[in-house]
Amino acid sequence: LSFPWQKREISNFDYLMYLNTLAGRSYNDYMQYPVFPWVLADYHSEILNLTNPHTFRDLSKPMGAQTVERKRKFIQRFNEVEKNLSAQCHYCTHYSSAIIVASYLVRMEPFTQTFCSLQGGSFDVADRMFHSVKSTWESASRDNMSDVRELIPEFFYLPEFLTNANHFEFGCMQDGTVLGDVQLPPWADGDPHKFIHLHREALESDYVSAHLHHWIDLIFGHKQHGSAAVEAVNTYHPYFYGDKTDLNNIKDPLIKSTILGFISNFGQIPKQV
């Protein structure tokens, strides 16, 4: 039995959108926004080589396990069950949430206002805002133990979200740089359209087509929870698994509102498909 996606009759982008829709993800809900993978690991070369496997992110591993050292730390966290955690898990933050979506799209309305409202009425400190594709990748894949974010579909078709066309005043970073357009990798030549074109080409490349099913298993499939998720270093706080938390059976309104607040602030695992 062979499916249209396996026969390359539909694009990787279309297949991921189909899976997101099937799993209940929607553009209409920031808390369950469509989630797409980081596909590249090269944000420093002058020319992007899509025939080199080292150009790509390891799609068989979640963002928390992209480096050996980072993976070791998250496994250690899982085994120790830190005292401030109420449950055993690898990650206390999520790969997709309302604030992640709004931060990526903050240069466009209505996301600018959404971001500000989620931040309590103002922009975040400039250094913490989305300002560079390379530094965001380094944070999510290597440097920041609180950051395991993935991407959103716009990274593969919408150059406008990378420019500050509305001239919002986001402030200055610590090194004095005024925060404006998103800093792009050298291979994009400072051109958002070229970045989107090459990024989409990477998504549809032979390498990604051959490995994308591993990432789908992590996000939408059998490695999403249970023993397979533990083995894949892919477990999240129990509150993120919305369909596993029966709110109707929770009588205490304080606990119920805490869980709902947790989900709305930090994200939700897609329905398993």
Side-chain angles (χ1 to χ4, degrees), residues 14 53-54 83-84 168 211-212 229 242:
D14 288 340
H54 296 295
K83 289 172 186 170
N84 62 337
F168 292 116
H211 295 86
L212 187 57

Side-chain angles (χ1 to χ4, degrees), residues 139-152:
S139 171
S141 67
R142 188 187 71 200
D143 296 340
N144 186 347
M145 291 290 283
S146 300
D147 185 1
V148 292
R149 76 185 69 187
E150 292 279 8
L151 299 182
I152 53 175

Side-chain angles (χ1 to χ4, degrees), residues 66-122:
Q66 289 297 308
T67 71
V68 174
E69 177 62 15
R70 187 168 159 93
K71 180 181 177 181
R72 184 190 65 76
K73 285 180 181 174
F74 280 120
I75 291 172
Q76 185 179 2
R77 170 189 282 180
F78 181 88
N79 291 333
E80 287 176 355
V81 190
E82 295 175 0
K83 289 172 186 170
N84 62 337
L85 295 181
S86 58
Q88 192 174 36
C89 61
H90 293 109
Y91 313 116
C92 310
T93 55
H94 198 249
Y95 49 76
S96 175
S97 67
I99 194 69
I100 289 171
V101 173
S103 70
Y104 281 146
L105 300 173
V106 70
R107 289 162 180 80
M108 297 171 58
E109 290 289 13
F111 303 98
T112 314
Q113 294 306 314
T114 301
F115 182 84
C116 287
S117 65
L118 289 169
Q119 276 291 127
S122 62

Side-chain angles (χ1 to χ4, degrees), residues 56-240:
F56 298 92
R57 165 258 180 102
D58 187 341
L59 287 158
S60 70
K61 295 183 175 70
M63 290 303 291
Q66 289 297 308
T67 71
V68 174
E69 177 62 15
R70 187 168 159 93
K71 180 181 177 181
R72 184 190 65 76
K73 285 180 181 174
F74 280 120
I75 291 172
Q76 185 179 2
R77 170 189 282 180
F78 181 88
N79 291 333
E80 287 176 355
V81 190
E82 295 175 0
K83 289 172 186 170
N84 62 337
L85 295 181
S86 58
Q88 192 174 36
C89 61
H90 293 109
Y91 313 116
C92 310
T93 55
H94 198 249
Y95 49 76
S96 175
S97 67
I99 194 69
I100 289 171
V101 173
S103 70
Y104 281 146
L105 300 173
V106 70
R107 289 162 180 80
M108 297 171 58
E109 290 289 13
F111 303 98
T112 314
Q113 294 306 314
T114 301
F115 182 84
C116 287
S117 65
L118 289 169
Q119 276 291 127
S122 62
F123 294 123
D124 200 355
V125 176
D127 284 85
R128 284 204 300 258
M129 291 188 66
F130 174 51
H131 65 274
S132 157
V133 179
K134 179 175 180 278
S135 67
T136 303
W137 159 253
E138 288 171 349
S139 171
S141 67
R142 188 187 71 200
D143 296 340
N144 186 347
M145 291 290 283
S146 300
D147 185 1
V148 292
R149 76 185 69 187
E150 292 279 8
L151 299 182
I152 53 175
E154 284 82 353
F155 273 84
F156 301 94
Y157 68 83
L158 190 71
E160 287 79 10
F161 87 97
L162 298 164
T163 60
N164 185 21
N166 292 318
H167 306 292
F168 292 116
E169 293 186 8
F170 298 119
C172 289
M173 293 189 285
Q174 283 186 336
D175 64 3
T177 306
V178 176
L179 190 60
D181 297 345
V182 175
Q183 294 167 14
L184 302 175
W187 45 259
D189 296 326
D191 181 351
H193 289 83
K194 185 173 182 180
F195 171 83
I196 295 293
H197 174 76
L198 289 173
H199 205 216
R200 182 66 170 263
E201 204 177 315
L203 178 65
E204 304 300 340
S205 67
D206 289 341
Y207 180 90
V208 171
S209 297
H211 295 86
L212 187 57
H213 64 283
H214 295 303
W215 184 83
I216 290 168
D217 286 342
L218 293 168
I219 306 299
F220 301 106
H222 75 286
K223 292 183 181 177
Q224 192 191 72
H225 62 266
S227 58
V230 174
E231 198 174 322
V233 193
N234 193 43
T235 65
Y236 298 81
H237 193 286
Y239 289 170
F240 294 147

Side-chain angles (χ1 to χ4, degrees), residues 246-260:
D246 189 355
L247 291 171
N248 294 324
N249 286 335
I250 298 172
K251 302 293 182 238
D252 188 324
L254 186 60
I255 294 174
K256 186 181 282 192
S257 68
T258 300
I259 293 172
L260 285 170

